[in-house]
Amino acid sequence: MTGRFTTRRVAVPELAAFEEPPSRAPDAMGAPVLLDSQPEPPLRHKLLDAKVRLHRRLIDEINLSALEKLPEDEIRRYVQQLVSQYVLAERLALNSQELNEFVSEILDEMTGLGPLEPLLKDPTISDILINGHECVYVERGGMLEPLSVRFKDEQHLLRIINKIVSAVGRRVDESHPLCDARLQDGSRVNVAVRPIGVDGPLVSIRKFSKKPFNLSKLVEIGALRPPMAEVLAAAVKARITTIISGGTGSGKTTMLNALSGFISEKERLITIEDAAELQLQQPHVGRMETRPPNVEGKGEIRQRELVKNALRMRPDRVILGECRGEEAFDMLQAMNTGHEGSMATIHANTPRDAITRLEQMIGMAGLPMTVASIRGQIAGAIQLIVQLQRQSDGKRKVTSIAEVTGLEGDIIQMQEIFKYVRTGTSPDGTVEGHFQATGLRPRFLGHLANQGIKIPGSYFDPSQPL
């Protein structure tokens, strides 16, 4: 067994940091250090030092290319055997649990995503942002913070990147330096390498919770108030076509996932995304994602083709992960031709901006349509716009819920039903404000009543607290 794997040395990048209990954090070299003010015991310091040296030595000697062809349990047995030999040679006092943890760290590098593995397992991290192999930031609780996690060199980071993108049939190199991909758990990945990335590869990973946020959880964390949530849930049940608008990182996909929980399980849903990340809970969901061109520049499948194809797949609703191009026209056509209740997200700062962006995107389709006919399509298709915003303290809020009421002349008419009013900022940086009704009752209340859904009129009274 040993002879089979140690006949050839391969240079394998080393791991970044060991996973330690919460009371410890890795230093710049990747070795854990105590966070309290007590001096570290000499024996413990010696053990940590030896573990770092042992770790580097193992990574340098393991025949990675041969090991990757074996089943995971066989790889683990082999690595455990090597580690045990080194532990004895180094006279390290490792108990069974520490030995297993050390083996897992080495396996992360060989079969997983190396230094990213502990970050991906950390449920408190929502975004991982890599600016070259020496600079890693994460977002926790809406705020960015630097980490001491490092990659060995640029080649190490590129190896991890290629492992991610190849898993979903994509590639990234000098000729194709930009790539959208996803991890197995649905987390979204964006990559930019040289020459686009001037100082080295740029990687952005948007993690998604193992348990998707539902509307009750969003209410609990203060993203919106219960009456607002009840109105949105009723609108989804009654097949009110909805657009979710917001900036980058404002929580659009999270809100779309939460609202989709109120779609009947009897309906057939087709989702269309650039990189599949929606986590719909219904049993009858058909998922499609775009495909980039191959090496010869052929074979590209864009969202517009997928939207057209979706209409031939007998969907009750079409869920478009993000509308950002000429597919907007086909999406509106679907919403106007018997697929009411369809939903999509769009990048915009206000509900009015969302309408303007839709107009521009329909224009990108290059069809001979007048402004009036474009606006007529939008006014006929979309009924509700939910606006989200990421506040300066990192918290996400539903800042507006607006209804599209129709077309007057060539102007799309809208009315705001609920809004978030910011009143100030506390000394610790927390945004202060409150939600309130505008006093306008949505026109779709009659449609809800016909469906047997009743919403109390007090929800829309601006004098009543939400």
Side-chain angles (χ1 to χ4, degrees), residues 173-188:
D173 52 36
E174 191 171 317
S175 59
H176 292 82
L178 298 174
C179 183
D180 283 315
R182 56 182 164 81
L183 301 179
Q184 290 183 350
D185 64 357
S187 297
R188 180 173 57 197

Side-chain angles (χ1 to χ4, degrees), residues 319-330:
I319 311 294
L320 193 58
E322 183 181 336
C323 183
R324 57 187 175 195
E326 66 270 18
E327 69 273 4
F329 173 76
D330 302 280

Side-chain angles (χ1 to χ4, degrees), residues 218-260:
L218 293 177
V219 169
E220 183 183 322
I221 65 176
L224 72 169
R225 298 297 298 151
M228 299 165 66
E230 192 172 331
V231 170
L232 291 179
V236 173
K237 288 178 184 176
R239 298 176 66 91
I240 301 297
T241 304
T242 304
I243 294 290
I244 300 170
S245 169
T248 301
S250 59
K252 298 186 297 299
T253 305
T254 299
M255 176 61 72
L256 183 55
N257 277 325
L259 292 180
S260 70

Side-chain angles (χ1 to χ4, degrees), residues 348-410:
N349 293 327
T350 66
R352 177 61 65 182
D353 286 346
I355 295 295
T356 303
R357 282 215 66 209
L358 277 174
E359 291 180 23
Q360 295 167 347
M361 288 187 287
I362 293 172
M364 293 168 64
L367 299 172
M369 297 178 65
T370 63
V371 172
S373 62
I374 290 175
R375 291 177 178 173
Q377 285 276 348
I378 294 172
I382 297 168
Q383 295 171 274
L384 198 63
I385 299 178
V386 181
Q387 182 69 40
L388 293 111
Q389 188 176 55
R390 183 177 182 271
Q391 305 293 307
S392 56
D393 60 359
K395 295 179 181 176
R396 280 81 170 173
K397 302 283 186 186
V398 175
T399 55
S400 178
I401 297 177
E403 180 187 26
V404 177
T405 57
L407 201 62
E408 187 174 313
D410 61 350

Side-chain angles (χ1 to χ4, degrees), residues 25-39:
D27 66 7
M29 296 300 294
V33 296
L34 295 179
L35 295 181
D36 55 34
S37 57
Q38 297 296 323

